[in-house]
Amino acid sequence: MVLGFFKSHVDNKYPTTPLKFTGKDSGEATLEDIISHKVPELYKGASFWYNPLLPSGDFQTAYTGLSKFESVDKVCYKRRILNIESEDKTYEVEGEKLKYDDWEGRSTIAIDYVVPPGREDPNHEKYRPVSQTKHLPPRTEYLNPEHELELLSDDSKPLVIALHGLSGGSYESYIRAFLSKVTDKPYDFDALVLNSRGCANHTITSPQLFCGLWTNDLRYLINEHIRPNWPNKRIYLIGFSLGGAICANYLGQEADNTYHNIKGGAIMGCPWDFPDSCIQLQSSLLGSHIYSPKMCNNLVDLLNEHYEGHLRSNPLVEAYKKNPENFKLGTLKAFDENFTSKLFGFNCADEYYRHASPIQRLLKVRVPLVIVNSIDDPIIGYRTLPFSEVRLNPFTALVTTTTGGHLGWFDYKGNRWYADPISRLFKELDDNWSFNKKSVDEKDLPFDTTKLWKYDRIIM
């Protein structure tokens, strides 16, 4: 009985009318069927042993933040700095052509491709763009552009695109734990990490950072880089924390127009309801005195790091640097109130939080999406996990654990519990199953409430 306290228990929620997959050999199955038979670690009733020294969400979360895990999951990367050519490349929504951003082709994003060990290039610095002034993270080198197409040339290997959490990057241990598994045998996926602007020692080249509703960097990467260069590449998305929110928001925005080669995704430790997550942080002792100030400090560090570059041209950032005493910082919400919301055109943090919450776009996701959250997550909480949305959307499934914290999920050996099961799920879907989103009867899909909404009011 005592040992039972050292187990984290798994539970699930599934749609009332789930998507039916077609087997490559024969037969049909739902996502629940596939998980229960092929990935039982993610199925309700499963459990995993956690380290008795990490018995709660706070301990799991703290261990994630305090240790760098440099002796394990030594993933190697080749970095490509991609220019966002926003002058002549647009994307279309309901017949209207939209720009990827307003910075007239000055913006760049940092893509880190996973490569096998042993491909070190002592001369990689000669491929460093002149715009990039920072030292690269560990085991990361600049990519020779002439070799980029070779990295993903094997169409038999699917591609994972990973998005990291707030102010993190490809070097984060929770991302490396997954990528080291999914790119190794028997899974053998290709993989890359899309770093948010200014993160992972990327030098930003336009006066913009990132937020949970900024999805255009992912959109540009897929539309303008992956699609034309590797048109047959099957894609799986995975997002962690804020990266999960960006990923979910992107898929919900794309909805029925999602690129046909995106075959599935996983969202890990996502803040589904930003206002509630803000309350969660403010209402706990550790949240208000440790987690929130730490996240704020990380963002302030980013602001300061990039000020001497292009951020100083932003009047708001310039005002802060001249008179920092006028800005009451110290918590994540204070930073979002003063900077994130304003830099992206919102009046205040609460308005940004309401618009950015991915729970309001989950009903429009049209690719198989597995959601993983821990009930004891001290950053996210559990009150507003998307239980109702999963029940209504045939393309989704929700996996919860009783212990795991925020992006922790450490088992008794110190390994991340999710890395192998999520890798196996992606492999199973890719090898043996296909789906046709048009085969879902419209009556089984959530009603599109935008049809009731016009001029900021209900019309009936």
Side-chain angles (χ1 to χ4, degrees), residues 70-368:
E70 283 302 311
S71 63
V72 297
D73 303 321
K74 295 182 178 181
V75 176
C76 299
Y77 298 105
K78 293 288 187 179
R79 174 163 295 186
R80 167 73 195 279
I81 301 298
L82 186 65
N83 283 85
I84 296 185
E85 301 171 39
S86 58
E87 285 296 274
D88 57 351
K89 291 183 178 179
T90 59
Y91 67 98
E92 191 171 301
V93 180
E94 296 183 1
E96 182 178 358
K97 291 185 176 180
L98 302 176
K99 294 189 293 185
Y100 286 99
D101 73 10
D102 283 326
W103 303 116
E104 300 176 342
R106 288 181 285 156
S107 297
T108 57
I109 51 178
I111 306 165
D112 288 343
Y113 292 97
V114 177
V115 295
R119 294 192 181 181
E120 293 80 6
D121 180 0
N123 300 314
H124 74 97
E125 283 287 340
K126 71 181 182 182
Y127 307 116
R128 176 199 292 263
V130 294
S131 65
Q132 300 303 298
T133 61
K134 299 178 180 299
H135 294 296
L136 291 176
R139 297 177 302 279
T140 305
E141 296 180 345
Y142 285 105
L143 171 67
N144 180 345
E146 294 181 1
H147 295 162
E148 184 175 16
L149 292 181
E150 302 169 10
L151 292 177
L152 307 181
S153 61
D154 185 352
D155 284 338
S156 68
K157 297 174 67 172
L159 170 68
V160 166
I161 298 176
L163 285 79
H164 59 80
L166 181 72
S167 70
S170 57
Y171 58 86
E172 295 283 4
S173 63
Y174 56 80
I175 264 192
R176 290 188 286 111
F178 172 71
L179 294 181
S180 66
K181 284 285 186 184
V182 79
T183 58
D184 200 3
K185 303 293 183 184
Y187 308 118
D188 205 26
F189 277 52
D190 287 330
L192 65 82
V193 180
L194 172 60
N195 295 292
S196 293
R197 299 190 188 194
C199 293
N201 295 3
H202 164 241
T203 305
I204 63 171
T205 54
S206 57
Q208 178 183 320
L209 287 174
F210 54 86
C211 76
L213 193 49
W214 181 254
T215 58
N216 269 6
D217 288 351
L218 177 58
R219 183 170 289 107
Y220 187 91
L221 171 65
I222 292 173
N223 288 355
E224 309 297 342
H225 195 63
I226 303 298
R227 290 182 70 164
N229 288 313
W230 302 279
N232 299 315
K233 205 72 172 170
R234 303 178 305 284
I235 299 170
Y236 292 81
L237 304 178
I238 186 168
F240 296 83
S241 192
L242 186 74
I246 295 169
C247 183
N249 278 328
Y250 165 78
L251 290 173
Q253 290 167 345
E254 294 296 293
D256 288 322
N257 296 315
T258 302
Y259 177 40
H260 64 86
N261 274 346
I262 297 178
K263 301 302 183 181
I267 306 293
M268 315 295 295
C270 175
W272 289 99
D273 186 286
F274 280 31
D276 187 67
S277 294
C278 178
I279 294 171
Q280 172 79 16
L281 277 176
Q282 291 174 326
S283 61
S284 72
L285 189 64
L286 289 176
S288 59
H289 289 83
I290 296 180
Y291 302 139
S292 183
K294 174 61 175 173
M295 288 188 280
C296 176
N297 290 339
N298 289 343
L299 291 168
V300 171
D301 288 344
L302 275 180
L303 210 63
N304 290 328
E305 285 174 19
H306 295 283
Y307 170 71
E308 292 301 332
H310 293 271
L311 279 186
R312 72 181 306 156
S313 64
N314 186 286
L316 180 63
V317 180
E318 180 72 7
Y320 163 70
K321 294 298 289 186
K322 287 183 176 179
N323 299 290
E325 66 278 1
N326 293 339
F327 291 75
K328 295 181 179 179
L329 301 176
T331 66
L332 177 60
K333 185 173 183 179
F335 185 92
D336 289 338
E337 183 77 25
N338 283 282
F339 296 108
T340 309
S341 59
K342 305 294 195 302
L343 291 173
F344 285 91
F346 295 102
N347 292 289
C348 61
D350 286 326
E351 185 186 26
Y352 156 58
Y353 290 163
R354 293 185 180 104
H355 281 276
S357 297
I359 198 167
Q360 63 187 321
R361 296 177 185 86
L362 185 56
L363 291 176
K364 292 190 174 184
V365 170
R366 295 295 179 264
V367 297

